[in-house]
Amino acid sequence: DDSTAALIGAAFLVAVAAPVAEEFFFRGFLFNALRNWRGVWPAALITGLVFGVIHAGSSDPAFLAPLAFFGFGLCVLYVRTRSLYPCIGLHCANNAIAFGATQDWTWQIPILLVSALAVIGLTAWAVRRVWPSGRAAPAPAPAPAS
């Protein structure tokens, strides 16, 4: 389907939905499970390899090794920042550029990138408003006795 609606839907799936879903699975679940089992570096290596292999059906074989390295790098970013947000943002940027390149876009790529990051950011903000982290604020220190 060459309709505008199909193109917008595909762009949303590639630049918004996929980065969020893949980061929650690969870094949030798989990497953490492997890290608890084998440590950071083996977990990052295995997660990166699985990340590359999982894209075999949708990517040119020449891109699988770079995708595995990208998956490894996202694990390192996650360890350094202790947050999925930077991983989601970087993954979003990668996918927006890749999608735009497949469509032979030029000026549209930055628009897709900014729009996708805005959707992700606003969604994260809304989710945090509806479901706070659940961590209680520390209790105030008791007043000194007079």
Side-chain angles (χ1 to χ4, degrees), residues 27-28 31-32 35 74-87 128 135:
R27 260 55 65 188
F31 172 71
N32 277 320
R35 180 171 62 172
L74 288 169
C75 291
V76 173
L77 179 62
Y78 178 63
V79 168
R80 299 284 175 140
T81 63
R82 298 180 187 173
S83 175
L84 286 177
Y85 291 126
C87 301
R128 301 261 319 174
R135 289 183 234 154

Side-chain angles (χ1 to χ4, degrees), residues 1 3 12 20 30 32 40 42 57 71 87 97 101 109 125 128-129:
D1 188 356
S3 72
F12 176 82
V20 172
L30 182 62
N32 277 320
V40 170
C87 301
I97 292 167
I109 294 173
W125 174 80
R128 301 261 319 174
R129 299 266 312 173

Side-chain angles (χ1 to χ4, degrees), residues 14 26 31 49 68 85 91 100-101 105 118 136 138 140:
V14 170
F26 285 104
F31 172 71
L49 290 171
Y85 291 126
H91 197 149
W105 286 357

Side-chain angles (χ1 to χ4, degrees), residues 34-51:
L34 292 172
R35 180 171 62 172
N36 290 335
W37 179 55
R38 286 290 180 220
V40 170
W41 298 114
L45 181 63
I46 293 167
T47 302
L49 290 171
V50 172
F51 184 79

Side-chain angles (χ1 to χ4, degrees), residues 10-144:
F12 176 82
L13 288 173
V14 170
V16 176
V20 172
E22 290 181 2
E23 289 310 310
F24 272 99
F25 176 73
F26 285 104
R27 260 55 65 188
F29 173 72
L30 182 62
F31 172 71
N32 277 320
L34 292 172
R35 180 171 62 172
N36 290 335
W37 179 55
R38 286 290 180 220
V40 170
W41 298 114
L45 181 63
I46 293 167
T47 302
L49 290 171
V50 172
F51 184 79
V53 168
I54 205 77
H55 287 88
S58 62
S59 296
D60 186 293
F63 296 133
L64 298 182
L67 282 167
F69 183 76
F70 183 60
F72 175 84
L74 288 169
C75 291
V76 173
L77 179 62
Y78 178 63
V79 168
R80 299 284 175 140
T81 63
R82 298 180 187 173
S83 175
L84 286 177
Y85 291 126
C87 301
I88 292 169
L90 186 57
H91 197 149
C92 170
N94 177 74
N95 285 14
I97 292 167
F99 182 80
T102 65
Q103 300 301 311
D104 295 322
W105 286 357
T106 55
W107 59 268
Q108 299 95 330
I109 294 173
I111 293 171
L112 173 59
L113 176 57
V114 170
S115 300
L117 288 172
V119 167
I120 291 169
L122 287 171
T123 302
W125 174 80
V127 167
R128 301 261 319 174
R129 299 266 312 173
V130 172
W131 293 294
S133 67
R135 289 183 234 154

